[in-house]
Amino acid sequence: MRLILVLGDQLSDDLAALRQADPARDLIVMAEVMEEGSYVPHHPQKIALVLTAMRKFAARLRGQGFRVAYAALDDPETGPSLPAEVIRRMAETGAEEVLVTTPGDWRLLASLRDLPLPLRFLPDDRFLCPPEVFTAWASERKSLRMEWFYRDMRRRTGLLMAGSEPVGGQWNFDHDNRKPAAPDLLRPAPLRFAPDAATEAVLDLVAARFPGHFGRLRPFHWPTDRAEALHALDHFITQSLPRFGDEQDAMLESDPFLSHSLLSSSLNIGLLSPFEVCQRAEAAYHAGTAPLAAVEGFIRQIIGWREYVRGIWALKGPDYLTQNALNHSAPLPAAYWGAPTRMNCLSTAVAQTRDHAYAHHIHRLMITGNFALLAGVDPAEVHAWYLAVYIDAIEWVEAPNTLGMSQFADGGLLASKPYVSSGAYINRMSDYCGTCHYRVKERTGPRACPFNPLYWHFLMRHRDRFARNPRMAQMYRSFDRMEAPLQSALLAEAEGILARLAAGTEV
Ligand code: FAD
Ligand code: SF4
């Protein structure tokens, strides 16, 4: 008899370890353990999602004839950690081997690997690009730019291809996408799944066991099983995909979701497969219900960015998590945990995160990520925050996005230049500035938008590194053309903001 360990983000029928399981002989092991819920202070909705989805998946497996040993969080017999649970089940059953699909988290992988037990890891093949293919791709290149990887993935999957050429004659329709959002457009609301009795029981448990974690537990509306996830996919493809490209980078104070799919949590815990999601989007293009620019933009996020960050995570290993190329060391501002701030963009992004465990890509990259980078926050603290607060955060996808794309902590492996901006970008892509305490067009003075002086301060303190970057040289020339008093005022203003942040004073 063997134990088949199934983790909380491995809830897929075709999981590698489950494909090998023999219902007549093997025992599936699933466990809700305190360590997984608290190694960072996960958002309560994220804990509730994983526990509910695990319980429903266990019931599904039982329905398929498997025997499942399920340890609930409130069962006094349940061990504190996954290794402890594996040891307990081995002792109980005398099983000869444990099979597990490799986790997407170096911490957990190391703790399972250290067990003095016959434990066999199977590759997680729910991705479209196997690690060895990514490694071969990376080994042939000096620069690992996503765009080249993405084109190879289009060829590899055949998605949006006409023979060997991209459908529509272009690989990338970015110039048609990424507009500001029209505030008065009527958009369909995202699907909300009312919690059933099983979900309600988990919500009560999470409220009791994780009372101090940042974030609102209720209302909870995430898809928690495959049927709900398919329903959410259907809703996105028919209602929001046509505007996905246009609104991809836009932000509106009144609408945290715009035309985004909200599918990342279902994809990341295994309720949906990346290929089926892309096939549905491609079919919408061929049926004429969604334009090519929107469909291409959406598919790029999945077979491009999602597969690419998975490849980087696997290629670079655990050392990637501790990089800090810019030597940033400031603490994460208290505003990230909900302390008051007069910056409307930051307080809105954090409030949406608190309420929904969600913020779309541009909030994460150009508001919270941008501000942390300008403020020189220690990337390890930024990483711990993103890992905790988002419904879809699992190390393999969160870490390259945060440390690489957003914080430049890997020294430019993922991003050819740091994603920093002044307030002008936020003003162009959102409606936040109109009602903000600060004035986006002011560069100095008590009401100047903090992004403005901090932007120049960032560029100046990293001048040696970035001045020769062809994509940034123009900004250095702009600074050099300013009058000396303005240059000094900008840098002094930024120093004042950094000092206020360090002292924990509201900004
Ligand atoms: P949509 O905008 O509808 O995009 C469709 C799908 O594309 C997403 O569901 C997701 O699966 C995929 N996708 C889009 N962008 C990326 C990307 N950069 N990397 C990987 N997949 C992508 N995504 C996570 O899934 N988990 C994370 O922990 C996470 N942390 C992030 C941290 C930072 C600092 C940044 C800048 C981005 C992060 N992302 C993360 C990527 C992206 O922000 C989310 O995937 C996206 O916002 C999820 O919302 P959605 O499903 O509505 O996405
Ligand atoms: Fe954000 Fe500056 Fe605009 Fe205020 S003025 S919302 S701080 S970008």
Side-chain angles (χ1 to χ4, degrees):
M1 177 222 206
R2 299 174 308 176
L3 301 184
I4 311 290
L5 178 63
V6 175
L7 305 172
D9 61 346
Q10 298 184 343
L11 311 179
S12 315
D13 287 339
D14 69 341
L15 188 74
L18 284 174
R19 288 203 307 269
Q20 298 222 358
D22 175 356
R25 190 171 63 125
D26 299 330
L27 179 68
I28 312 291
V29 171
M30 297 178 75
E32 303 173 355
V33 295
M34 206 56 195
E35 183 173 80
E36 293 308 306
S38 56
Y39 66 90
V40 288
H42 298 290
H43 195 293
Q45 289 187 37
K46 180 181 173 191
I47 304 175
L49 167 67
V50 173
L51 299 192
T52 308
M54 282 173 68
R55 289 179 181 199
K56 292 186 176 179
F57 191 68
R60 180 181 174 92
L61 291 176
R62 287 194 182 103
Q64 292 167 1
F66 286 104
R67 291 183 305 134
V68 182
Y70 193 95
L73 191 70
D74 46 356
D75 180 342
E77 300 284 303
T78 300
S81 65
L82 284 164
E85 270 299 299
V86 172
I87 291 169
R88 174 167 84 105
R89 296 298 188 191
M90 283 293 270
E92 269 173 17
T93 59
E96 66 209 29
E97 189 184 28
V98 186
L99 287 190
V100 59
T101 310
T102 306
D105 175 326
W106 295 117
R107 169 197 58 89
L108 180 58
L109 181 57
S111 70
L112 290 171
R113 225 180 230 154
D114 285 349
L115 281 175
L117 294 173
L119 202 132
R120 187 148 58 92
F121 290 97
L122 303 171
D124 188 344
D125 53 13
R126 294 174 298 164
F127 295 89
L128 299 167
C129 180
E132 58 282 6
V133 172
F134 190 86
T135 306
W137 175 82
S139 67
E140 290 162 6
R141 280 169 178 78
K142 260 212 317 249
S143 143
L144 303 185
R145 292 291 162 249
M146 199 288 289
E147 184 64 27
W148 308 118
F149 170 77
Y150 165 63
R151 293 181 188 185
D152 281 359
M153 287 300 288
R154 288 273 294 277
R155 295 187 190 98
R156 194 178 156 81
T157 58
L159 287 162
L160 290 182
M161 293 298 291
S164 58
E165 295 302 314
V167 167
Q170 280 169 233
W171 293 102
N172 185 318
F173 288 83
D174 256 0
H175 64 271
D176 295 335
N177 289 334
R178 308 182 165 205
K179 301 167 184 145
D184 38 11
L185 190 74
L186 261 180
R187 296 174 185 82
L191 262 195
R192 301 192 157 251
F193 297 91
D196 57 14
T199 311
E200 283 295 353
V202 171
L203 292 176
D204 289 344
L205 176 69
V206 172
R209 296 296 294 272
F210 303 94
H213 288 202
F214 169 79
R216 288 211 174 118
L217 176 59
R218 291 184 165 93
F220 177 93
H221 54 74
W222 295 100
T224 54
D225 61 23
R226 175 140 172 92
E228 288 182 345
L230 284 171
H231 194 178
L233 172 60
D234 216 50
H235 181 82
F236 167 69
I237 297 287
T238 53
Q239 306 297 317
S240 306
L241 177 61
R243 273 184 322 284
F244 178 83
D246 283 351
E247 301 196 329
Q248 210 173 339
D249 286 6
M251 297 170 280
L252 279 188
E253 199 168 342
S254 58
D255 186 343
F257 310 115
L258 292 168
S259 298
H260 289 273
S261 69
L262 276 69
L263 293 174
S264 51
S265 60
S266 297
L267 280 161
N268 294 355
I269 65 173
L271 303 179
L272 294 174
S273 87
F275 195 55
E276 73 181 329
V277 168
C278 292
Q279 281 181 313
R280 286 294 311 275
E282 185 186 39
Y285 164 66
H286 288 305
T289 55
L292 182 55
V295 173
E296 187 281 313
F298 179 72
I299 287 179
R300 175 148 32 96
Q301 304 312 309
I302 297 184
I303 65 168
W305 281 111
R306 189 171 187 273
E307 293 290 329
Y308 172 78
V309 298
R310 174 71 184 190
I312 295 280
W313 173 83
L315 181 72
K316 292 297 166 185
D319 290 350
Y320 191 85
L321 305 179
T322 53
Q323 294 188 94
N324 187 358
L326 301 181
N327 289 319
H328 281 175
S329 58
L332 191 73
Y336 283 70
W337 298 111
T341 167
R342 285 168 290 191
M343 299 172 69
N344 193 31
C345 53
L346 189 60
S347 71
T348 306
V350 171
Q352 291 173 358
T353 301
R354 176 198 65 209
D355 294 348
H356 306 292
Y358 179 85
H360 74 63
H361 188 68
I362 295 303
H363 293 123
R364 300 188 206 195
L365 188 63
M366 296 311 292
I367 307 282
T368 43
N370 185 8
F371 191 71
L373 183 53
L374 294 180
V377 178
D378 180 349
E381 288 204 24
V382 186
H383 162 52
W385 185 79
Y386 279 98
L387 192 56
V389 300
Y390 289 114
I391 194 79
D392 50 30
I394 300 173
E395 185 190 275
W396 67 263
V397 53
E398 177 277 330
N401 268 299
T402 303
L403 297 168
M405 190 190 302
S406 161
Q407 299 300 297
F408 210 81
D410 63 7
L413 182 76
L414 248 86
S416 56
K417 73 177 193 49
Y419 281 96
V420 282
S421 80
S422 67
Y425 172 85
I426 296 169
N427 192 32
R428 189 163 67 249
M429 297 309 297
S430 80
D431 61 356
Y432 297 145
C433 301
T435 52
C436 184
H437 164 86
Y438 293 108
R439 295 180 183 136
V440 71
K441 297 216 162 100
E442 290 185 15
R443 295 193 284 187
T444 58
R447 299 293 285 274
C449 165
F451 278 95
N452 296 341
L454 286 177
Y455 174 69
W456 294 112
H457 192 274
F458 173 89
L459 290 183
M460 290 311 122
R461 71 178 187 263
H462 295 299
R463 185 166 197 142
D464 286 351
R465 180 182 280 270
F466 295 126
R468 280 184 305 279
N469 181 323
R471 297 184 62 200
M472 297 177 77
Q474 171 61 32
M475 299 319 298
Y476 284 96
R477 282 197 292 275
S478 299
F479 187 83
D480 292 343
R481 276 199 300 269
M482 289 176 197
E483 301 284 336
L486 176 58
Q487 291 178 338
S488 310
L490 281 167
L491 299 182
E493 189 82 37
E495 293 285 346
I497 297 169
L498 293 174
R500 276 175 13 236
L501 288 169
T505 312
E506 182 181 340
V507 167

